[in-house]
């Protein structure tokens, strides 16, 4: 049975799924939706995912949405290489890392990127970004410390945690460039990858 993945450019969650498919060496049909043209809101796509969001994976007759659920499916059905670990200790460590990213990194990154790319570049928007930068910066410093001690985020091999973090960082760094094109915001340069050599090496 063939695998199809519906995704949209710029979605870090879809990127995570694409990375997982590549990491596992799986063949799949790429179905890129043009979000700017509303292809994720067509009756055809809404029949697949009524929420009208990407990513969506179709594997045979199984339709799965939400990136973490998709990674769970892929790891259960195609277990090599494992994304969630083999031992109880490894699984707990990886899920702890994934949960931490979702709770303490992802909300700030999404606020920064959405405000930078889709909101007016005014005093209110810049204040929102500044607050989010101040929130995410300590998290990046924790990640810098962890990656200074280990090649991978949650153990000795690549895992779902690495696949979750990488697109978020790319989105964050793109937002910094986007802010510069709009006139700049000095506080955002505290996020530049040159300040995080261990993260830079890992990326």
């Amino acid at each position: 049975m063939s695998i199809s993945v519906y995704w949209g450019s710029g979605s870090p969650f879809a990127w995570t799924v694409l990375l997982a498919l590549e990491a596992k060496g799986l063949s799949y049909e790429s179905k890129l939706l043009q979000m700017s043209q509303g292809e994720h809101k067509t009756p055809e796509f809404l029949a697949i995912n009524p929420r009208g969001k990407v990513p969506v994976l179709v594997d045979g007759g199984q339709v799965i949405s939400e990136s973490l659920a998709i990674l769970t499916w892929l790891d259960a059905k195609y277990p090599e290489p494992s994304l969630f670990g083999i031992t109880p200790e490894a699984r707990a460590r990886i899920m702890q890392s994934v949960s931490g990213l979702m709770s303490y990194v992802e909300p700030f990154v999404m606020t920064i990127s959405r405000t930078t790319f889709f909101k007016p570049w005014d005093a209110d928007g810049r204040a929102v970004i500044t607050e989010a930068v101040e929130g995410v910066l300590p998290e990046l410093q924790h990640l810098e410390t962890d990656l200074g001690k280990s090649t991978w985020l949650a153990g000795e091999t690549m895992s779902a945690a690495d696949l979750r973090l990488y697109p978020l960082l790319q989105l964050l760094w793109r937002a910094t460039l986007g802010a510069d094109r709009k006139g700049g915001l000095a506080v955002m340069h505290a996020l530049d990858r040159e300040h995080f050599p261990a993260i830079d090496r890992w990326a």
Side-chain angles (χ1 to χ4, degrees):
M1 296 183 182
S2 61
I3 298 173
S4 298
V5 58
Y6 293 82
W7 62 287
S9 179
S11 166
F13 313 112
W15 197 349
T16 290
V17 170
L18 294 171
L19 286 172
L21 289 163
E22 294 292 340
K24 287 182 173 292
L26 297 173
S27 299
Y28 61 94
E29 182 181 3
S30 169
K31 293 184 176 289
L32 173 61
L33 300 181
Q34 301 299 326
M35 315 292 276
S36 61
Q37 298 178 21
E39 290 183 355
H40 58 307
K41 300 298 183 181
T42 63
E44 293 79 10
F45 184 68
L46 291 175
I48 298 171
N49 183 6
R51 286 196 170 93
K53 294 185 176 182
V54 295
V56 174
L57 184 102
V58 180
D59 189 356
Q62 187 71 37
V63 178
I64 308 139
S65 60
E66 302 299 330
S67 59
L68 191 57
I70 293 171
L71 263 61
T72 301
W73 168 268
L74 291 174
D75 218 40
K77 189 170 182 182
Y78 311 99
E80 296 296 332
S82 174
L83 300 179
F84 289 97
I86 303 299
T87 66
E89 294 81 5
R91 290 178 180 175
R93 185 169 59 246
I94 291 166
M95 282 307 301
Q96 176 178 287
S97 183
V98 170
S99 297
L101 292 174
M102 294 174 67
S103 296
Y104 308 119
V105 176
E106 185 178 300
F108 293 124
V109 171
M110 299 311 293
T111 294
I112 291 168
S113 63
R114 287 170 178 160
T115 306
T116 299
F117 293 124
F118 302 114
K119 302 292 184 181
W121 192 251
D122 55 18
D124 288 342
R126 292 193 294 272
V128 167
I129 292 173
T130 297
E131 184 178 0
V133 169
E134 292 171 351
V136 80
L137 190 56
E139 299 300 326
L140 293 181
Q141 291 166 342
H142 289 315
L143 292 169
E144 174 71 12
T145 298
D146 291 343
L147 288 169
K149 301 174 183 176
S150 176
T151 302
W152 302 101
L153 191 57
E156 297 180 355
T157 59
M158 183 176 63
S159 73
D162 299 283
L163 304 186
R164 190 83 185 189
L165 176 60
Y166 183 79
L168 292 174
L169 289 177
Q170 293 295 339
L171 189 60
L172 192 63
W173 293 329
R174 288 179 183 178
T176 301
L177 296 176
D180 285 344
R181 288 193 291 269
K182 288 187 168 185
L185 185 59
V187 69
M188 289 190 72
H189 288 287
L191 308 176
D192 288 346
R193 60 195 296 172
E194 65 190 44
H195 301 311
F196 304 96
I199 291 176
D200 183 61
R201 172 201 53 75
W202 167 88

